[in-house]
Amino acid sequence: MKNKQFLWIIFVVVLVIIVAAAGFYIYRQQGQMKDLQQQSELVKEELSDEYNDLIIDYEGFRMKVSNDSLVAKLETEQMKVQRLQDELRTVKATDTKRINELKKELETLRAILRNYVQQIDSLNRINEQLTSENRQVTAKYQQASQTASQLAKEKEQLKETVQLASKLDASNITVNGLNDKNKATDQIKKMVKIEVRFIINKNITAPPGEKIIYIRIMKPDDDVLIKSLGNVFTYEGKEINYSVKRTIEYEGEELPVTIYWNIEEYLSPGMYRVDIFADGNLIGKKTFKWDK
């Protein structure tokens, strides 16, 4: 009887020990699982932060790129990072396999970004080189434009100098009133014609050939003596009347010229003026006074 009780006691003691050991093991396992879950949550948080940083990096580099094709690729990869980050938020902390896969995906996406960064740097270097070359070309173009402008200016100045040098010049201008016997007279009432004499000076730079000489005789009231309103020529861009004209043959040497105006109108006493034109230029003028 005593042996049987002793055996029961031993059984109970062993059973208590087994139960206590099992309880301790379960408690320990639960603690380890809790630690693992906390570690997993920390890994998820860190991984989520890394995904977020990667999204920011993609966005930053996308904003710096002007190449449309590269921008489209960066946007595609950025959207992929966003999708994986969204998935990470829904993955259970205990699903360590998928978390590790997402971690590997992150490294792959980082490598892709590094590749794009290298492409961006390469493009930037090319753009800097092109910009530098463009500046040089622009500077050369501006210099060439300035040179061309200066040459055009010098050409225009030379043209003006040549034109000025080739301009005819009338000198020794005399104006006489003639009577019906072709004798000079100072009495207006006896005058039947006006004689204008002058010399076209020597000018070897003037183009030789036919020249039309226009004479304008201005009365004291500044009216021009004319035979017809249609007698006009161009001077300084305007059509103006002339009194009389004559065509001469000029060869660059000194040439005396005489032109007559037949008086058919009343002439009043006072100050008169004769203007002489050729090749669109005023080449000489003379002011004189006639009394009664």
Side-chain angles (χ1 to χ4, degrees):
M1 187 67 179
K2 290 181 178 180
N3 288 334
K4 194 173 183 179
Q5 290 179 346
F6 179 74
L7 288 173
W8 273 105
I9 291 171
I10 292 173
F11 176 75
V12 170
V13 170
V14 171
L15 184 61
V16 169
I17 292 171
I18 290 172
V19 170
F24 177 74
Y25 176 78
I26 291 171
Y27 173 77
R28 186 176 179 184
Q29 286 294 106
Q30 288 178 342
Q32 290 178 347
M33 288 295 294
K34 187 176 181 179
D35 289 342
L36 288 173
Q37 186 172 0
Q38 289 176 346
Q39 290 178 3
S40 238
E41 289 290 348
L42 287 174
V43 169
K44 273 188 64 176
E45 290 178 7
E46 291 175 357
L47 197 57
S48 179
D49 289 341
E50 291 178 11
Y51 267 104
N52 192 59
D53 291 340
L54 190 58
I55 290 173
I56 293 172
D57 289 341
Y58 267 102
E59 180 66 20
F61 282 109
R62 188 174 64 83
M63 297 299 292
K64 295 178 181 178
V65 178
S66 58
N67 184 287
D68 292 340
S69 175
L70 196 53
V71 168
K73 292 179 180 178
L74 285 169
E75 287 179 345
T76 300
E77 294 302 324
Q78 184 180 356
M79 291 171 63
K80 185 175 181 181
V81 175
Q82 185 67 58
R83 286 196 302 271
L84 292 174
Q85 186 186 41
D86 293 340
E87 182 184 348
L88 179 64
R89 292 192 183 101
T90 62
V91 171
K92 293 182 180 180
T94 54
D95 192 351
T96 56
K97 179 180 178 182
R98 185 54 185 157
I99 291 174
N100 287 332
E101 289 174 350
L102 290 171
K103 193 170 184 178
K104 290 180 180 179
E105 289 279 3
L106 178 66
E107 292 303 320
T108 301
L109 292 169
R110 278 178 176 163
I112 292 172
L113 179 60
R114 284 194 296 270
N115 180 52
Y116 285 138
V117 170
Q118 291 175 355
Q119 293 184 46
I120 293 169
D121 289 341
S122 177
L123 287 172
N124 287 338
R125 284 194 297 271
I126 293 172
N127 286 335
E128 287 176 1
Q129 183 179 354
L130 290 174
T131 301
S132 176
E133 292 176 356
N134 184 57
R135 288 198 194 99
Q136 294 176 5
V137 170
T138 302
K140 289 180 180 179
Y141 173 77
Q142 290 176 344
Q143 184 178 1
S145 296
Q146 290 174 355
T147 301
S149 178
Q150 182 63 29
L151 288 174
K153 184 177 179 181
E154 292 175 358
K155 181 180 179 181
E156 188 62 28
Q157 290 174 344
L158 180 60
K159 181 180 178 182
E160 291 176 359
T161 301
V162 171
Q163 288 177 342
L164 185 62
S166 62
K167 177 184 173 183
L168 298 181
D169 183 49
S171 62
N172 298 333
I173 303 171
T174 60
V175 180
N176 296 306
L178 302 180
N179 59 24
D180 55 3
K181 295 180 181 181
N182 282 335
K183 299 294 183 179
T185 178
D186 292 330
Q187 298 181 35
I188 294 178
K189 62 182 181 180
K190 292 184 178 182
M191 294 178 185
V192 296
K193 65 176 64 174
I194 298 172
E195 178 189 66
V196 182
R197 290 178 177 271
F198 54 92
I199 293 175
I200 303 293
N201 296 330
K202 179 178 180 179
N203 189 340
I204 60 174
T205 61
E210 284 190 352
K211 306 287 183 182
I212 300 177
I213 307 298
Y214 294 95
I215 301 292
R216 278 167 58 93
I217 304 173
M218 311 289 291
K219 295 190 296 184
D221 59 3
D222 286 335
D223 278 347
V224 182
L225 292 176
I226 59 174
K227 298 298 184 184
S228 169
L229 290 174
N231 291 345
V232 295
F233 69 103
T234 302
Y235 176 66
E236 294 184 346
K238 297 179 180 179
E239 296 291 320
I240 61 175
N241 288 108
Y242 64 86
S243 303
V244 63
K245 69 177 181 179
R246 178 180 169 186
T247 301
I248 63 170
E249 190 71 29
Y250 183 71
E251 298 298 335
E253 298 296 330
E254 186 176 283
L255 179 67
V257 179
T258 302
I259 298 178
Y260 295 96
W261 167 264
N262 293 322
I263 300 174
E264 298 173 350
E265 58 279 295
Y266 169 76
L267 297 181
S268 61
M271 297 298 297
Y272 286 76
R273 189 179 83 237
V274 168
D275 292 339
I276 306 171
F277 298 83
D279 296 333
N281 298 310
L282 176 62
I283 65 172
K285 58 185 176 178
K286 177 77 172 182
T287 302
F288 55 95
K289 184 178 180 180
W290 276 334
D291 296 324
K292 291 183 180 180

